[in-house]
Amino acid sequence: MMTQTDARRQVLVVGASLAGTRTVQGLRALGHTGPVTLIGAESELPYDRPPLSKNLLKGAWSEPAAEGIRLATPAELDGLGVTLRLGVPAVDLDTVARLVRLADGTTVEYDVLVIATGAAARPSPWRPVSGVHQLRTLADARALAERLALGEPVVVVGGGFIGTEVAAAAVGHGCRVTVVDPLPEPMTRLVGPEIAGSLVDLHRRNGVSTRFGVGVVGIEGKAGDLSVELEGGERLMASTAVVGIGSVPATDWLAGSGLRLDGGVVTDRFLRAQGAEDVYAIGDVARWPHPGRGVDVRAEHWTSASDQARYVATALTNGVEEGYAPTDYVWSDQYDWKVNAFGWRDPAGTSIVVGEVSADGRAAVVHADADGIACGAVTVNWVRALNQARRLLPAAPSAESVAEVIRGLG
Ligand SMILES: Cc1cc2nc3c(=O)[nH]c(=O)nc-3n(C[C@H](O)[C@H](O)[C@H](O)COP(=O)(O)OP(=O)(O)OC[C@H]3O[C@@H](n4cnc5c(N)ncnc54)[C@H](O)[C@@H]3O)c2cc1C
């Protein structure tokens, strides 16, 4: 199947972050000459999110460093000939009239619509007067950095990548940190059981306390004087609470549009939204059929958003014959550990550990599916092993043969 292309069509991209910005850049790079409009709810120029929980949060807040995470300069966007409308969210989509209505009452027409509205932090169910922070935007990071710089006690609710990265940053500011998660081993879902335990040890060695397997019942008080109540009655006193309990796809504005919404905008394998013609969905907002795993996924990963933008830009300019093939890559920085995951982990499969995850060690875990075929790998502080896995996995080798190659790296 070949998608239809026409370089003069009017393309409207809603969501001016990674997926949206890479789409408009890709369209121009690949020769789209028609009008392109990029709409963003935030008034910020497009910026990159991973540094928000890493470099930007670690030291004293630096506005020049924050400027350094922009995905494009105003001059570059000007040069692309893109109409940029920032600080004005889309509020409604009419797929019959091919119109998007914005919060200021204006409408924008399109021939092709690319939905790239990403996700928002899952709202905190606990809302004391003040002191609860979440981390999704640059404004969130700025506000949180101010609190961490006080060096006062922090409770992090949620032991996912963002929660644990915030915990590591808070420790660096001299804060006493406790991470709470209702799952007994929250990091297992991120990196698998082989590495999860070592990651928890790493946090504990750095002074982080954990309360795993126990949920939060409530948070009371105000910034500087919070009480976080856990199931079972324990109370943790904190100056700041950070709630990192996942994200929700930003699809509210699409209610009633006729698009299929089910844990994101549901697409076909060409990333075309189901329920309307000439509408695509990419990045954190999209739920697409994963060819290897045989299920629909909403990947909340940088590489996925960036690759999907490139794919759709190609589809709209040169056409594509094959469905979107994902890279499945994610990384996390925790203290001086670089954790990388490529591919996926099959719950019905097995895993082979190479090396030893210790204080200053490096390790790789190769995941096999139920037939012993390598389907993913997680590495700690071992870029060469990661690169080997990335190189080998597309040919579907046995997990044992991939492990053998990695062992050979010495
Ligand atoms: C703190 C943090 C750390 C991360 N670290 C990593 C990491 O280490 N590795 C990794 O792989 N991934 C990481 N991620 C995930 C990665 O940043 C996301 O996968 C990526 O940002 C997705 O890009 P996106 O453009 O699809 O969505 P988003 O980045 O969510 O952007 C969507 C944009 O659309 C806007 N928008 C929403 N609704 C509307 C509307 N109605 N109208 C107009 N605009 C709208 C939003 O304001 C936003 O600017 C991290 C994310 C966060 C928040």
Side-chain angles (χ1 to χ4, degrees), residues 50-144:
L52 300 182
S53 53
K54 303 179 181 68
N55 295 350
L56 279 187
L57 213 53
K58 275 184 187 161
W61 182 262
S62 147
E63 282 305 330
E67 277 311 304
I69 68 169
R70 300 289 175 198
L71 292 165
T73 61
E76 187 192 347
L77 289 165
D78 259 9
L80 292 175
V82 171
T83 304
L84 190 59
R85 307 259 327 252
L86 296 178
V88 54
V91 293
D92 189 45
L93 166 64
D94 182 338
T95 57
V96 178
R98 296 193 179 220
L99 278 180
V100 168
R101 187 175 305 283
L102 308 185
D104 63 3
T106 57
T107 54
V108 187
E109 294 176 353
Y110 67 84
D111 298 314
V112 179
L113 172 66
V114 181
I115 297 172
T117 46
R122 184 178 298 286
S124 167
W126 312 286
R127 293 167 187 271
V129 178
S130 57
V132 168
H133 288 251
Q134 299 202 275
L135 183 54
R136 184 78 202 178
T137 66
L138 189 51
D140 293 342
R142 206 178 266 119
L144 180 56

Side-chain angles (χ1 to χ4, degrees), residues 142-164:
R142 206 178 266 119
L144 180 56
E146 204 174 295
R147 296 296 310 168
L148 299 189
L150 299 174
E152 295 175 353
V154 174
V155 169
V156 177
V157 184
F161 274 149
I162 291 181
T164 50

Side-chain angles (χ1 to χ4, degrees), residues 172-188:
H173 285 276
C175 304
R176 184 157 50 78
V177 181
T178 309
V179 180
V180 183
D181 196 295
L183 293 177
E185 296 177 325
M187 297 193 187
T188 300

Side-chain angles (χ1 to χ4, degrees), residues 13-21 39-42 46-54 71 85 88-92 102 116-120 135-137 161-162 165-166 250-253 282-286 299-306 329-333:
V13 181
V14 182
S17 184
L18 178 64
T21 306
I39 307 283
E42 294 175 70
Y47 59 88
D48 213 10
R49 288 178 211 278
L52 300 182
S53 53
K54 303 179 181 68
L71 292 165
R85 307 259 327 252
V88 54
V91 293
D92 189 45
L102 308 185
T117 46
L135 183 54
R136 184 78 202 178
T137 66
F161 274 149
I162 291 181
E165 287 182 354
V166 168
T251 56
D252 285 1
W253 67 286
I282 57 172
D284 282 17
V285 75
E300 297 176 67
H301 302 152
W302 192 97
T303 309
S304 176
S306 178
Y329 170 65
V330 64
W331 76 94
S332 178
D333 296 351

